[in-house]
Amino acid sequence: MREAYHDQLSRLIDQLADMCGMVGTAMERATRALLDADLDLAEQVIGGDAEVDDARANCEEYAYSLLALQAPVATDLRKVLAAIHAAESLERMGDLALHVAKAARRRHPHAVLPDSVRDQFAEMGRVAVDLARQAEQVVRTQDVNLAKSLEEADDQIDELHRNLFTVIMDKGWPHGVPAAVDITLLGRFYERFADHAVSVARRVVFVVTGRMPGYGNDEIV
Amino acid sequence: MREAYHDQLSRLIDQLADMCGMVGTAMERATRALLDADLDLAEQVIGGDAEVDDARANCEEYAYSLLALQAPVATDLRKVLAAIHAAESLERMGDLALHVAKAARRRHPHAVLPDSVRDQFAEMGRVAVDLARQAEQVVRTQDVNLAKSLEEADDQIDELHRNLFTVIMDKGWPHGVPAAVDITLLGRFYERFADHAVSVARRVVFVVTGRMPGYGNDEIV
């Protein structure tokens, strides 16, 4: 039974890592759709979200049957529970990529972003996708040090997010309220995506070390 | 063992129901703080969020020990997993009330909201708090019909949320970008709070009926 359990657990971990890959790709495409007003890419992300939802449902069912059939305890149990939480965060990351893609589709053929914030979104997108890729590695390798480096990347997103507000709140902002509203929501989607990636990594750290890293500054609005 | 299990499960359910009450009260106070620029109330919500976080950690630890010691299967296992998910949603609802309170504190002694959207936020707050109270009843009673009525209240929030955009996107909007940005974020906090309340109820439905209600329209940005 122990061997069967470990085979099943490693399959569950593979499923989670694959989900990290899926949502990373979704955010990469959504960001390109946003920056280039690319409707095809936006539609790919929108159509592809059901796959992320299915992957999450599969993870959860798999974790459920693992608990029911193997009744793991101690660290083994914590691993399965961490996987259930991680799958939830990952589905949410998929939803956030979906929201970015929908914003791109809603304004098509117009660009959503004025030029003055384009670079900031390109950078937020790059860091966000990178966070998903790093989360994938953390899930696969359970490398606690790598998990810590996600916190730094998350700080970068928070900094970019704060700068965004400085730009749109400026008295000289020439693009009006609708653009500011779009940017406010989009900024939040990237920031939440990053938070969830960090939360996936934190769950892995918790399983490996038995301690949850602090939740101090994980969300700044 | 079965009896011990059922005692523990009903304690877990009580903890969850109490969390619904806590986040409902937090959102009620946060909304009053927002509407009345009441700094004391805002501080109460901000200082009280750690209690919600603790309650969630306690629920999770309790669920963990229940799984480890009792190794429930079938519906019993689903109930514990549903409780773990619900606790996560409830903690998030607490965070969203906290964000509302922080917005009120950030602009104090000024009001965050122009008069033209005050009534809409009063109404969103009322419905959101009501959703938390209804979620509490659903958790306590496992009443599937009551769970369905949450979906209707959630539709109300979505409708109010959409109207808000109509108001701030209007060409004649006289309050500038900063007010529009605040309103955009605040609107989203209420809408997410409502979504999470619905998600708590849906998990209960899933446990009782074995089927998850559709996730069709649970988030409109």
Side-chain angles (χ1 to χ4, degrees), chain A residues 1-2 5 8 63-72, chain B residues 72-73 77:
Chain A
M1 177 177 129
R2 288 296 87 183
Y5 168 76
Q8 286 176 25
Y64 166 81
S65 67
L66 218 160
L67 291 173
L69 298 175
Q70 309 281 0
Chain B
V73 293
L77 173 57

Side-chain angles (χ1 to χ4, degrees), chain A residues 56 60-61 64 67-68 71-75 77-78 81 84-85 88-89 92 95-96 99 106-107 165 168-169 173 176-178 180-182 184-185 188-189 192 203 206 219 221, chain B residues 56 60-61 64 67-68 71-75 77-78 81 84-85 88-89 92 95-96 99 106-107 165 168-169 173 176-178 180-182 184-185 188-189 192 203 206 219 221:
Chain A
R56 185 261 174 102
E60 215 168 274
E61 278 310 298
Y64 166 81
L67 291 173
V73 294
T75 306
L77 173 57
R78 297 234 179 248
L81 295 181
I84 290 175
H85 283 293
E88 185 158 15
S89 283
R92 195 71 204 126
D95 288 343
L96 292 160
H99 293 338
R106 197 178 311 122
R107 301 281 176 250
F165 283 110
I168 60 181
M169 295 287 206
W173 172 254
V177 168
V181 167
D182 279 344
T184 300
L185 288 172
R188 187 155 173 86
F189 298 152
R192 294 296 301 147
R203 289 276 173 186
F206 177 61
E219 198 185 3
V221 177
Chain B
R56 185 260 175 101
E60 214 167 276
E61 278 310 299
Y64 166 81
L67 291 174
V73 293
T75 305
L77 173 57
R78 297 232 180 248
L81 295 181
I84 291 174
H85 283 292
E88 183 157 16
S89 282
R92 194 69 206 128
D95 289 342
L96 291 160
H99 293 337
R106 196 177 310 123
R107 302 281 176 250
F165 283 110
I168 60 181
M169 295 289 206
W173 172 254
V177 168
V181 167
D182 278 345
T184 300
L185 288 172
R188 186 153 174 88
F189 298 153
R192 294 295 301 147
R203 288 278 174 186
F206 177 61
E219 198 185 2
V221 177

Side-chain angles (χ1 to χ4, degrees), chain B residues 143-218:
Chain B
D143 179 338
V144 171
N145 288 322
L146 181 59
K148 283 181 197 149
S149 78
L150 268 83
E151 311 268 345
E152 287 161 33
D154 185 42
D155 290 344
Q156 267 182 278
I157 294 260
D158 288 342
E159 177 72 22
L160 287 159
H161 190 219
R162 267 190 298 267
N163 288 345
L164 216 50
F165 283 110
T166 312
V167 174
I168 60 181
M169 295 289 206
D170 189 278
K171 281 197 162 70
W173 172 254
H175 305 288
V177 168
V181 167
D182 278 345
I183 290 166
T184 300
L185 288 172
L186 285 163
R188 186 153 174 88
F189 298 153
Y190 283 94
E191 183 255 341
R192 294 295 301 147
F193 184 96
D195 276 352
H196 281 291
V198 170
S199 146
V200 169
R202 280 180 175 162
R203 288 278 174 186
V204 173
V205 173
F206 177 61
V207 167
V208 174
T209 66
R211 294 186 60 183
M212 198 73 178
Y215 264 102
N217 298 309
D218 63 337

Side-chain angles (χ1 to χ4, degrees), chain A residues 29-213:
Chain A
R29 287 179 180 160
T31 304
R32 278 169 51 207
L34 182 72
L35 296 173
D36 303 338
D38 185 328
L39 188 60
D40 283 347
L41 268 180
E43 295 287 7
Q44 271 182 45
V45 176
I46 294 163
D49 186 55
E51 270 175 60
V52 179
D53 295 348
D54 288 348
R56 185 261 174 102
N58 288 341
C59 270
E60 215 168 274
E61 278 310 298
Y62 201 78
Y64 166 81
S65 67
L66 218 160
L67 291 173
L69 298 175
Q70 309 281 0
V73 294
T75 306
D76 289 340
L77 173 57
R78 297 234 179 248
K79 283 185 184 172
V80 179
L81 295 181
I84 290 175
H85 283 293
E88 185 158 15
S89 283
L90 287 161
E91 182 184 357
R92 195 71 204 126
M93 289 164 76
D95 288 343
L96 292 160
L98 173 72
H99 293 338
V100 172
K102 280 188 174 170
R105 184 172 71 176
R106 197 178 311 122
R107 301 281 176 250
H108 184 82
H110 303 287
V112 182
L113 304 173
D115 281 347
S116 55
V117 295
R118 218 185 115 84
D119 287 353
Q120 268 151 300
F121 275 95
E123 185 65 7
M124 279 201 286
R126 196 192 58 72
V127 182
V129 172
D130 211 39
L131 274 162
R133 308 271 186 244
Q134 286 179 35
E136 180 176 353
Q137 287 310 307
V138 170
V139 169
R140 288 200 199 278
T141 62
Q142 309 203 354
D143 179 338
V144 171
N145 288 321
L146 181 58
K148 283 180 196 148
S149 77
L150 267 83
E151 312 267 346
E152 288 160 34
D154 185 42
D155 289 344
Q156 268 182 277
I157 293 261
D158 288 341
E159 178 71 22
L160 287 160
H161 190 218
R162 268 191 298 267
N163 287 346
L164 216 49
F165 283 110
T166 314
V167 175
I168 60 181
M169 295 287 206
D170 189 277
K171 279 196 166 68
W173 172 254
H175 305 289
V177 168
V181 167
D182 279 344
I183 290 166
T184 300
L185 288 172
L186 285 163
R188 187 155 173 86
F189 298 152
Y190 283 94
E191 184 256 341
R192 294 296 301 147
F193 184 96
D195 276 351
H196 281 291
V198 170
S199 147
V200 169
R202 279 180 175 162
R203 289 276 173 186
V204 173
V205 172
F206 177 61
V207 168
V208 174
T209 66
R211 293 188 61 183
M212 199 73 178

